[in-house]
Amino acid sequence: FLSLVENPLFRFWSRRVPLKFRQQLTFVAWTIYLPIHKALIGRRSGLHPSVSLEYHALTSMMWWGRLFPITIKRIRMALSQLHVCHPCWAYKDFIKPASTDNKHLTKRSNGEKHGISGHVIEVYHQMQTKLTPTGFRESVRNGKHDEMIVTGHYIQQSSHPSEKVILWIYGGAFLAGDSTGNLGIAEKVGLMSGGRDCFIPNYRLIPEAHLDDALFDVTLAYEYLLYERGIRPENV
């Protein structure tokens, strides 16, 4: 019965509700919830008293998740919404004004529809060869044609690609996660690291694919940066 309710609700939230509204609604709810938790529970949630009040509040909120079975679908839904918690307007201190850097994005980018301030390049690139052995595969002869396609999102922070690039491999126990959901937090780390570009490749997940398939995809994405975008290994 629960799946009959949550599946349409998940689809409506992620597909029909605008990203900006989801971000604003989430921050308003947190702004109301945090002081209430601070007044009623504070640091008595069971965690060590030295950790932040935000950590205590988040733990109390997530406690209720133990009442529901943790399914792959629920994990994937949760991790696909990470960008809702990391809107660009929440970390303006990391964004340099255009007047102080002539390489900053001075024209309007497409990042706004993705909830970030940088420019997003959707990567879909057919690689011709794979040079790095991974897992049980020793060479490209084991890779099918569609396996040699690199997909993901490349975040360019300024009008010129940065010399050093962050290769963002998202977590999720190889069960969940995607490049779209990690756009906000990846851009944030890139800005905190001096305005470096970020490449977030997609990789196949289990149980639909094998763990070795994920390693194959991530390694191919690394080679894409080296051999297609010309990034030196020490700059990744």
Side-chain angles (χ1 to χ4, degrees):
F1 172 76
L2 189 59
S3 62
L4 296 177
V5 176
E6 67 180 9
N7 289 341
L9 186 62
F10 284 169
R11 287 194 296 268
F12 177 78
W13 172 261
S14 59
R15 299 178 185 178
R16 299 294 183 181
V17 181
L19 174 58
K20 190 172 184 179
F21 179 79
R22 281 181 279 156
Q23 292 173 334
Q24 292 173 336
L25 182 63
T26 301
F27 269 71
V28 168
W30 179 257
T31 303
I32 296 172
Y33 166 72
L34 182 58
I36 294 176
H37 185 278
K38 180 180 178 180
L40 299 179
I41 300 177
R43 287 186 164 89
R44 300 186 300 275
S45 66
L47 296 175
H48 195 277
S50 64
V51 301
S52 67
L53 287 168
E54 290 82 2
Y55 194 5
H56 282 277
L58 182 63
T59 302
S60 298
M61 183 171 58
M62 296 181 66
W63 183 92
W64 300 97
R66 69 181 65 190
L67 303 179
F68 302 92
I70 304 301
T71 64
I72 293 178
K73 182 179 292 186
R74 287 172 181 158
I75 296 174
R76 290 178 177 177
M77 170 59 190
L79 293 183
S80 71
Q81 299 302 301
L82 283 177
H83 57 328
V84 174
C85 303
H86 293 274
C88 60
W89 44 264
Y91 48 91
K92 292 181 180 179
D93 293 341
F94 302 127
I95 303 176
K96 295 182 293 184
S99 58
T100 63
D101 184 359
N102 58 10
K103 292 184 179 180
H104 190 80
L105 289 174
T106 54
K107 290 187 177 181
R108 190 180 186 89
S109 71
N110 66 348
E112 185 176 356
K113 69 176 183 180
H114 298 283
I116 67 173
S117 60
H119 183 74
V120 178
I121 301 171
E122 295 189 12
V123 176
Y124 186 93
H125 185 82
Q126 175 78 48
M127 298 289 287
Q128 299 301 318
T129 185
K130 178 175 177 291
L131 302 178
T132 309
T134 52
F136 301 105
R137 302 180 180 184
E138 297 182 354
S139 68
V140 70
R141 65 178 179 271
N142 295 322
K144 300 178 182 178
H145 182 270
D146 58 343
E147 293 178 321
M148 297 298 294
I149 299 176
V150 177
T151 65
H153 291 85
Y154 188 96
I155 304 173
Q156 186 169 312
Q157 307 282 17
S158 64
S159 56
H160 295 283
S162 62
E163 181 181 3
K164 295 186 177 182
V165 176
I166 296 175
L167 178 59
W168 186 274
I169 310 300
Y170 47 80
F174 297 101
L175 290 167
D178 56 62
S179 60
T180 303
N182 281 263
L183 283 170
I185 188 172
E187 183 193 45
K188 181 179 181 179
V189 172
L191 291 171
M192 294 175 67
S193 302
R196 290 172 180 165
D197 295 348
C198 300
F199 177 44
I200 317 170
N202 291 309
Y203 57 85
R204 285 167 287 178
L205 303 172
I206 57 175
E208 293 86 352
H210 193 273
L211 173 61
D212 190 45
D213 295 324
L215 298 177
F216 185 94
D217 294 344
V218 168
T219 307
L220 196 65
Y222 172 72
E223 294 189 359
Y224 163 78
L225 289 178
L226 265 57
Y227 306 124
E228 300 299 327
R229 296 194 68 94
I231 309 296
R232 297 178 62 85
E234 62 267 25
N235 289 335
V236 178

